[in-house]
Amino acid sequence: MTDSQAASPLAADTPRTPTTWWDEFKDPKDGDVDMSRWLLQHKGALLVPIIITEPAVGTGGGLAAVFFRRPKQSEESKQRGDRIPPDIYGVGAFKTENGTYGYGLGGTFHFKDDTWRYAALAGKASVNLDFYTQGLLQESRKIGYNLDGVFAYQQVSRRLGRSDWFLSGRWIYMDLDSRLNLQSDHQYFQPKDFASRASGLGLGLSYDSRDNTLTPSKGWLWRLEGTAYAPAFGSDNTFQTYRTHVYGYLPIAQHWVLGLRGDVRAARGETPFYQLPSIDLRGISYGRYQDENVGMIEAELRWNLTPRWALVGFGGAGKAWGRRADFGDASTHATEGVGLRYLIARALGLYVGLDWARSQDDHAYYVQVGSAWR
């Protein structure tokens, strides 16, 4: 592995004193452009351009300001060699050509030597999307709709002993006004599909042995999650959502890292149509393939050309089944793509870059900050 990969995600560098403003953005070890000092010592923001080519909402853009901070760490934890992920928080806003827009703020934080983790997100959005009726008795139909409202997410996780296992609890809240573009399309839905308020409580179990939470080079992340929405929690409808996924990062040679992903999502009960799980793969328009169940597999190979630059190639496949087709009858939808990465903050192990992906129906570009898998 290269030095940049082997370093701790929060390496305690002791850089020489910069002589010019531009030196703040150079790595003292190799002289290359690096934002570690700016982000960690000067608490500056990483300004991330949001370039949107998502077929579901059209082209557009925006801007996000992301901040990083070293969590407090005890001397005992340092002596053990524990690596605590950075606290990350920021704000962002975007707009696209079809009238979709949104803004919000959020962050992830670590406490008590990473014994506790807290994540939160809140925002406002108005999104214009399409719902597809493929698999029904009638011919497939594309139905345009708008979602307008607010959303919030909070999760608290507790490490189990000194292991890599975490137990978590979460609260998800959405208050969305859903409207179809054409009133005649109401015939394809039931009243429960237009519930505006969804409030759910959930539990999760996860295992996290990744060497870096931003751009991992080895280790595993596995999560099992379930969330119940009910009037007792403030929800209009009663339904449940489930997800289990595993990400693996395997160094297979000196300059190569293989990433593997498996992801299954499901919904049961009176689930509003816009909260049905959707195939989530680069190159497939969001919401293009929805049903009660979706499953995805994906692989990504990263080739570290230099200590700073890397190329990635990836491909995946997914299925959506349940209400409209059994698993065996559901179509498989494949994607493929390539990308370029640059190690922008060596002390954080943070890569940024651009991906291009395509499927049988669509293609799109994606700006990546850290791993593409969430």
Side-chain angles (χ1 to χ4, degrees):
M1 297 177 65
T2 65
D3 291 341
S4 64
Q5 292 171 310
S8 166
L10 289 175
D13 298 326
T14 55
R16 64 175 181 267
T17 302
T19 58
T20 67
W21 177 84
W22 179 239
D23 286 340
E24 298 283 0
F25 301 95
K26 288 186 178 181
D27 191 316
K29 289 191 173 182
D30 58 18
D32 288 336
V33 174
D34 187 280
M35 297 190 69
S36 299
R37 186 182 355 229
W38 171 252
L39 297 174
L40 293 173
Q41 295 183 11
H42 298 280
K43 299 180 174 59
L46 176 63
L47 298 179
V48 182
I50 302 173
I51 301 174
I52 301 174
T53 61
E54 167 62 53
V57 296
T59 58
L63 185 66
V66 185
F67 298 84
F68 299 81
R69 182 182 65 183
R70 286 189 175 101
K72 292 182 179 180
Q73 187 173 9
S74 68
E75 290 300 322
E76 181 183 357
S77 175
K78 292 178 182 178
Q79 292 176 3
R80 290 197 303 263
D82 295 344
R83 294 181 304 223
I84 300 179
D87 292 341
I88 306 171
Y89 52 96
V91 298
F94 69 92
K95 188 173 183 179
T96 73
E97 62 180 350
N98 81 341
T100 292
Y101 71 89
Y103 51 87
L105 71 165
T108 60
F109 306 90
H110 306 79
F111 304 96
K112 298 289 186 180
D113 290 336
D114 201 25
T115 299
W116 293 90
R117 294 180 176 182
Y118 173 71
L121 175 67
K124 167 75 167 65
S126 179
V127 185
N128 297 304
L129 293 168
D130 293 316
F131 181 79
Y132 295 82
T133 63
Q134 73 269 10
L136 300 177
L137 295 177
Q138 300 162 332
E139 184 179 351
S140 175
R141 182 181 182 87
K142 182 170 72 172
I143 298 174
Y145 68 96
N146 171 266
L147 296 175
D148 189 298
V150 297
F151 57 89
Y153 168 88
Q154 294 189 74
Q155 176 170 287
V156 176
S157 301
R158 175 65 158 87
R159 185 185 295 271
L160 302 180
R162 289 176 56 187
S163 71
D164 291 326
W165 290 91
F166 291 84
L167 184 65
S168 61
R170 75 178 56 83
W171 173 58
I172 300 174
Y173 178 83
M174 289 176 281
D175 192 346
L176 303 174
D177 180 20
S178 56
R179 299 188 303 272
L180 300 181
N181 295 351
L182 300 176
Q183 289 299 314
S184 59
D185 287 334
H186 274 271
Q187 63 182 303
Y188 300 100
F189 300 91
Q190 300 179 21
K192 66 180 182 180
D193 288 321
F194 296 93
S196 62
R197 187 177 292 108
S199 180
L201 298 179
L203 293 174
L205 180 66
S206 63
Y207 174 83
D208 187 359
S209 65
R210 294 171 297 172
D211 64 335
N212 187 326
T213 59
L214 298 172
T215 310
S217 293
K218 64 179 179 180
W220 294 86
L221 173 64
W222 172 82
R223 284 183 179 148
L224 176 64
E225 305 168 343
T227 305
Y229 298 82
F233 308 142
S235 184
D236 290 340
N237 286 3
T238 299
F239 63 99
Q240 305 82 40
T241 61
Y242 307 94
R243 183 185 181 189
T244 183
H245 64 277
V246 59
Y247 305 154
Y249 302 90
L250 311 172
I252 58 175
Q254 184 178 6
H255 302 293
W256 297 81
V257 177
L258 175 64
L260 301 173
R261 172 195 177 203
D263 198 332
V264 179
R265 308 176 191 183
R268 297 292 184 269
E270 300 175 337
T271 313
F273 74 92
Y274 54 84
Q275 285 188 255
L276 288 171
S278 170
I279 292 179
D280 181 13
L281 291 169
R282 285 167 284 182
I284 290 182
S285 175
Y286 177 80
R288 180 64 180 87
Y289 304 105
Q290 289 180 274
D291 212 318
E292 286 185 329
N293 311 285
V294 298
M296 297 150 282
I297 56 173
E298 191 175 10
E300 179 179 280
L301 185 63
R302 187 171 85 231
W303 176 25
N304 295 287
L305 293 166
T306 73
R308 288 282 175 179
W309 291 97
L311 293 175
V312 299
F314 54 89
K319 276 192 175 190
W321 73 95
R323 294 181 181 177
R324 302 163 185 165
D326 294 332
F327 180 84
D329 296 327
S331 299
T332 298
H333 306 280
T335 65
E336 59 185 3
V338 294
L340 181 66
R341 298 288 187 273
Y342 179 77
L343 182 63
I344 193 66
R346 181 181 55 80
L348 291 166
L350 174 63
Y351 282 78
V352 298
L354 184 68
D355 289 342
W356 174 82
R358 69 175 184 180
S359 63
Q360 60 192 35
D361 299 316
D362 302 311
H363 67 89
Y365 292 92
Y366 304 86
V367 174
Q368 302 293 0
V369 179
S371 174
W373 297 340
R374 301 288 187 268

